[in-house]
C-alpha cells in the first residue's frame, strides 16, 4: 500500500474485522461482516474484495492450508491517522481545531476522552507534543 492510499468503506469494514479478530478465513470475515451490519454481500463478493485488497497490499494471504487465511497488512493506528489527515486537509483546510469543534458538537466526549484531550492540549501548550 502506498503511504497515501485511503481504504474504501468496504475495505475499511474488512480491515476492522481483521484488526479485531486477527488472521481470518474468508468465511470468518464474511460472517463477521454480516453480524456487524445485519446484512451481507455474498460470500464470493467478500472473497473477491479480499483478493483485490491483497493486490493493493492492504491484506496478505496465507495459502498454506485449504482455507486461505487473511491478515491486515496495514496498521490500524496508521490507517486511522491517514483517514483523519485526509479529512482534515480536504474538509477543514488543515485546521485540527475546527475538526475537533465539529466532532464534539456532533457527539459529546466521555469523561475519559476529555481527560485525554486535556493532556494533549497541555502538552501542546508546553511544546511537548
Amino acid at each position: 500500500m502506498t503511504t497515501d492510499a485511503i481504504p474504501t468503506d468496504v475495505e475499511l469494514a474488512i480491515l476492522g474485522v481483521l484488526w479485531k479478530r486477527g488472521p481470518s478465513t474468508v468465511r470468518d470475515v464474511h460472517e463477521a461482516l454480516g453480524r456487524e451490519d445485519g446484512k451481507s454481500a455474498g460470500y464470493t463478493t467478500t472473497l473477491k474484495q479480499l483478493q483485490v485488497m491483497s493486490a493493493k497490499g492492504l491484506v496478505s494471504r496465507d495459502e498454506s492450508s485449504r482455507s486461505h487465511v487473511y491478515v491486515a497488512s496495514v496498521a490500524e493506528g496508521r490507517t486511522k491517522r491517514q483517514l483523519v489527515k485526509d479529512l482534515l486537509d480536504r474538509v477543514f483546510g488543515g485546521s485540527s481545531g475546527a475538526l475537533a469543534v465539529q466532532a464534539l458538537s456532533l457527539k459529546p466526549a466521555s469523561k475519559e476522552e476529555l481527560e485525554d484531550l486535556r493532556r494533549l492540549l497541555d502538552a501542546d501548550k508546553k511544546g511537548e507534543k
Side-chain angles (χ1 to χ4, degrees), residues 3-9 12 78-95 99:
T3 56
D4 59 352
I6 303 293
T8 66
D9 290 345
L12 206 51
R78 182 175 181 201
T79 302
K80 287 180 178 180
R81 282 189 299 277
Q82 269 183 275
L83 289 164
V84 171
K85 182 176 180 342
D86 181 62
L87 180 67
L88 185 67
D89 292 343
R90 286 186 308 115
V91 179
F92 294 95
S95 172
L99 172 64

Side-chain angles (χ1 to χ4, degrees), residues 13-118:
I14 290 172
L15 285 170
V17 170
L18 294 173
W19 289 328
K20 187 176 183 178
R21 294 180 51 103
S24 303
T25 64
V26 177
R27 182 154 314 283
D28 293 336
V29 172
H30 177 71
E31 290 173 358
L33 291 172
R35 281 192 301 275
E36 287 177 7
D37 65 11
K39 57 185 184 216
S40 181
Y43 174 87
T44 55
T45 301
T46 303
L47 171 61
K48 182 62 178 171
Q49 190 64 50
L50 280 160
Q51 291 169 337
V52 168
M53 291 173 70
S54 179
K56 288 173 130 181
L58 295 171
V59 299
S60 59
R61 177 177 58 207
D62 177 0
E63 301 175 10
S64 62
S65 64
R66 185 173 178 270
S67 296
H68 296 177
V69 176
Y70 288 84
V71 64
S73 296
V74 292
E76 181 177 9
R78 182 175 181 201
T79 302
K80 287 180 178 180
R81 282 189 299 277
Q82 269 183 275
L83 289 164
V84 171
K85 182 176 180 342
D86 181 62
L87 180 67
L88 185 67
D89 292 343
R90 286 186 308 115
V91 179
F92 294 95
S95 172
S96 55
L99 172 64
V101 168
Q102 188 65 38
L104 291 170
S105 72
L106 293 173
K107 182 178 180 201
S110 69
K111 182 179 179 186
E112 295 80 17
E113 290 168 331
L114 289 173
E115 289 170 0
D116 288 343
L117 286 169
R118 175 55 53 206

